[in-house]
Amino acid sequence: MPLQIVHHPGYDAGFAVNHRFPMSKYPLLMEHLRIRGLAAPQALSKPEPAPAAWLKLAHAADYVDQVIACAVPERIEREIGFPVGPRVSLRAQLATAGTVLAARLALRHGIACNAAGGSHHARRAQGAGFCTFNDVAVASLALLAEGGVENVLIVDLDVHQGDGTADILKDEPRAFTFSMHGERNYPARKIASDLDVALPDGTGDDAYLERLAAILPDLSGQRHWDIVFYNAGVDVHAEDRLGRLALTDGGLRAREDMVIGHFRNRGVPLCGVIGGGYSTDVPILAARHAMLFEVAAGYA
Ligand SMILES: [Zn+2]
């Protein structure tokens, strides 16, 4: 079966090419997947913007209203890293709905990926760190609220700690948050996940994969998980501009295979989101993000 992929052209908010946030990675990722025959038209889904009611499950109502009205206070826009104009606002609503849709497809097909998402620094009260809405937290709470799932696991392997997800889900016992990240990286003030593993600068493939291999059985053994959200941030790569770890292409691919294989071999539905990745060479960056889809396709 082809891999279920969720995408929308509006994921690209059209930033200038020299912007610190490499917005053009979204269309380039889809182009990369199309060229490799991974974006089967019959398995491509397009989200509608997320209804405010979903967003308010995870975020303060006044912040949601501010984003939708493009009236986010400047102080918060500075923390996010860009102004929230109409395209950024729409993009945040689309990308969040994309993860909800991918999660539903994962429940039906076993595995699905959103070609965006992983905005894990957005906290309940506001966005931060290039993240406007926290798509994985919204999707977790939306699925729990509609009764489609009872236990949700979040495996966040972006190089940055998943502070926003931890903040939003800290009082939700049905969701378990796991973050493995670079110890000395953003955010300076981390918010404790249910399980955090902080790695030293320069951690390479072997130490990284060994650590992960030891943790995955503990995670899957805890409970019967109805779904796992996997944030496959590629900023762990040695050539990432913001990461401080030292994974190679081979290490990254082995990571995707380890995580996806672990949960799929146990029958746990998996929803993949792309997470962070920062490089001035955006085609190479898009190829790095494509590894999630290439590996996931082998389990579809
Ligand atoms: Zn990151």
CSV table of all heavy atoms in Angstrom, one decimal, residues 6 16 44 49 58 66 78 108 112 118 129 134 139 159 189 202 253 263 267 283 298:
chain,number,residue,atom,x,y,z
A,6,VAL,N,-0.2,13.6,4.3
A,6,VAL,CA,-1.0,14.8,4.4
A,6,VAL,C,-0.2,16.0,4.0
A,6,VAL,O,0.9,16.2,4.5
A,6,VAL,CB,-1.6,14.9,5.8
A,6,VAL,CG1,-2.5,16.2,5.9
A,6,VAL,CG2,-2.5,13.7,6.2
A,16,ALA,N,10.9,35.0,2.7
A,16,ALA,CA,12.1,35.3,1.9
A,16,ALA,C,13.1,34.2,2.0
A,16,ALA,O,13.2,33.5,3.0
A,16,ALA,CB,12.7,36.6,2.4
A,44,LEU,N,-2.8,10.8,-1.1
A,44,LEU,CA,-2.5,12.2,-0.6
A,44,LEU,C,-3.7,12.8,-0.1
A,44,LEU,O,-4.8,12.8,-0.7
A,44,LEU,CB,-2.0,13.0,-1.8
A,44,LEU,CG,-0.5,13.1,-2.1
A,44,LEU,CD1,-0.3,14.1,-3.2
A,44,LEU,CD2,0.3,13.6,-0.9
A,49,PRO,N,-8.4,24.1,7.2
A,49,PRO,CA,-7.9,24.8,8.5
A,49,PRO,C,-8.6,24.2,9.7
A,49,PRO,O,-9.8,23.9,9.7
A,49,PRO,CB,-8.3,26.3,8.2
A,49,PRO,CG,-8.5,26.4,6.8
A,49,PRO,CD,-9.0,25.1,6.3
A,58,ALA,N,-5.9,22.8,23.3
A,58,ALA,CA,-4.5,22.8,23.7
A,58,ALA,C,-4.0,24.2,24.1
A,58,ALA,O,-3.0,24.3,24.8
A,58,ALA,CB,-3.6,22.3,22.6
A,66,GLN,N,-6.3,35.5,18.9
A,66,GLN,CA,-5.3,36.4,18.4
A,66,GLN,C,-4.6,35.9,17.1
A,66,GLN,O,-4.4,36.7,16.1
A,66,GLN,CB,-4.2,36.7,19.4
A,66,GLN,CG,-4.6,37.5,20.6
A,66,GLN,CD,-3.7,37.4,21.8
A,66,GLN,OE1,-2.7,36.7,21.8
A,66,GLN,NE2,-4.0,38.2,22.9
A,78,ARG,N,7.8,38.1,18.7
A,78,ARG,CA,9.2,38.0,18.9
A,78,ARG,C,9.7,36.7,19.4
A,78,ARG,O,10.7,36.1,18.9
A,78,ARG,CB,9.7,39.2,19.8
A,78,ARG,CG,10.1,40.5,19.1
A,78,ARG,CD,10.9,41.4,19.9
A,78,ARG,NE,10.3,41.7,21.2
A,78,ARG,CZ,9.5,42.8,21.3
A,78,ARG,NH1,9.2,43.5,20.3
A,78,ARG,NH2,8.9,43.0,22.5
A,108,ARG,N,-6.5,4.4,10.9
A,108,ARG,CA,-7.2,3.6,9.9
A,108,ARG,C,-6.2,2.7,9.2
A,108,ARG,O,-6.5,1.5,8.9
A,108,ARG,CB,-7.9,4.5,8.9
A,108,ARG,CG,-9.0,3.8,8.2
A,108,ARG,CD,-9.8,4.7,7.3
A,108,ARG,NE,-10.2,5.9,8.0
A,108,ARG,CZ,-10.2,7.2,7.4
A,108,ARG,NH1,-9.9,7.3,6.1
A,108,ARG,NH2,-10.6,8.2,8.1
A,112,ALA,N,0.8,6.9,8.9
A,112,ALA,CA,0.6,8.1,8.1
A,112,ALA,C,1.5,9.2,8.5
A,112,ALA,O,1.9,9.3,9.7
A,112,ALA,CB,-0.9,8.6,8.1
A,118,GLY,N,5.0,19.1,14.1
A,118,GLY,CA,6.1,19.0,15.1
A,118,GLY,C,6.5,20.3,15.7
A,118,GLY,O,7.6,20.6,16.1
A,129,GLY,N,9.6,29.9,19.5
A,129,GLY,CA,10.6,29.1,18.7
A,129,GLY,C,10.1,28.6,17.4
A,129,GLY,O,10.2,27.4,17.1
A,134,ASN,N,0.7,24.1,18.6
A,134,ASN,CA,1.3,22.8,18.8
A,134,ASN,C,0.4,21.7,18.3
A,134,ASN,O,-0.5,21.2,18.9
A,134,ASN,CB,1.5,22.6,20.3
A,134,ASN,CG,2.4,21.4,20.7
A,134,ASN,OD1,2.3,20.4,20.1
A,134,ASN,ND2,3.4,21.6,21.6
A,139,ALA,N,-3.7,17.5,18.2
A,139,ALA,CA,-4.2,16.2,17.7
A,139,ALA,C,-4.4,15.2,18.8
A,139,ALA,O,-5.4,14.5,18.8
A,139,ALA,CB,-3.2,15.7,16.7
A,159,VAL,N,15.9,17.8,17.9
A,159,VAL,CA,17.1,18.0,18.7
A,159,VAL,C,16.8,19.0,19.8
A,159,VAL,O,17.6,19.1,20.8
A,159,VAL,CB,18.3,18.6,17.8
A,159,VAL,CG1,18.2,20.1,17.6
A,159,VAL,CG2,19.6,18.2,18.5
A,189,ARG,N,15.1,27.3,29.2
A,189,ARG,CA,14.3,26.8,30.3
A,189,ARG,C,13.4,25.7,29.8
A,189,ARG,O,12.5,26.0,29.1
A,189,ARG,CB,13.5,28.0,30.8
A,189,ARG,CG,13.1,27.8,32.3
A,189,ARG,CD,12.5,29.1,32.8
A,189,ARG,NE,11.3,29.6,32.0
A,189,ARG,CZ,10.1,29.1,32.2
A,189,ARG,NH1,9.8,28.2,33.1
A,189,ARG,NH2,9.1,29.5,31.4
A,202,GLY,N,27.7,16.8,20.4
A,202,GLY,CA,28.6,16.0,19.6
A,202,GLY,C,28.2,14.5,19.7
A,202,GLY,O,28.9,13.6,19.1
A,253,ARG,N,18.7,7.7,9.1
A,253,ARG,CA,17.8,6.7,8.5
A,253,ARG,C,17.6,5.5,9.5
A,253,ARG,O,16.6,5.0,9.6
A,253,ARG,CB,18.4,6.2,7.2
A,253,ARG,CG,17.5,5.5,6.3
A,253,ARG,CD,18.1,5.2,4.9
A,253,ARG,NE,18.3,6.3,4.1
A,253,ARG,CZ,17.4,6.9,3.3
A,253,ARG,NH1,16.2,6.3,3.2
A,253,ARG,NH2,17.6,7.9,2.6
A,263,PHE,N,7.4,0.4,16.7
A,263,PHE,CA,6.0,0.5,17.0
A,263,PHE,C,5.1,-0.3,16.0
A,263,PHE,O,4.1,-0.9,16.4
A,263,PHE,CB,5.6,2.0,17.1
A,263,PHE,CG,6.2,2.6,18.4
A,263,PHE,CD1,7.3,3.4,18.3
A,263,PHE,CD2,5.6,2.3,19.6
A,263,PHE,CE1,7.8,4.0,19.4
A,263,PHE,CE2,6.2,2.9,20.8
A,263,PHE,CZ,7.3,3.7,20.7
A,267,GLY,N,2.2,-3.4,16.3
A,267,GLY,CA,0.8,-3.0,15.9
A,267,GLY,C,0.3,-1.7,16.4
A,267,GLY,O,-0.9,-1.4,16.4
A,283,PRO,N,17.4,22.2,-0.6
A,283,PRO,CA,17.2,20.9,-1.2
A,283,PRO,C,17.8,19.7,-0.4
A,283,PRO,O,17.1,18.6,-0.2
A,283,PRO,CB,17.8,21.0,-2.6
A,283,PRO,CG,17.8,22.5,-2.8
A,283,PRO,CD,18.0,23.1,-1.5
A,298,GLY,N,8.0,1.9,3.7
A,298,GLY,CA,8.3,0.5,3.9
A,298,GLY,C,7.4,-0.2,4.9
A,298,GLY,O,7.4,-1.5,4.9
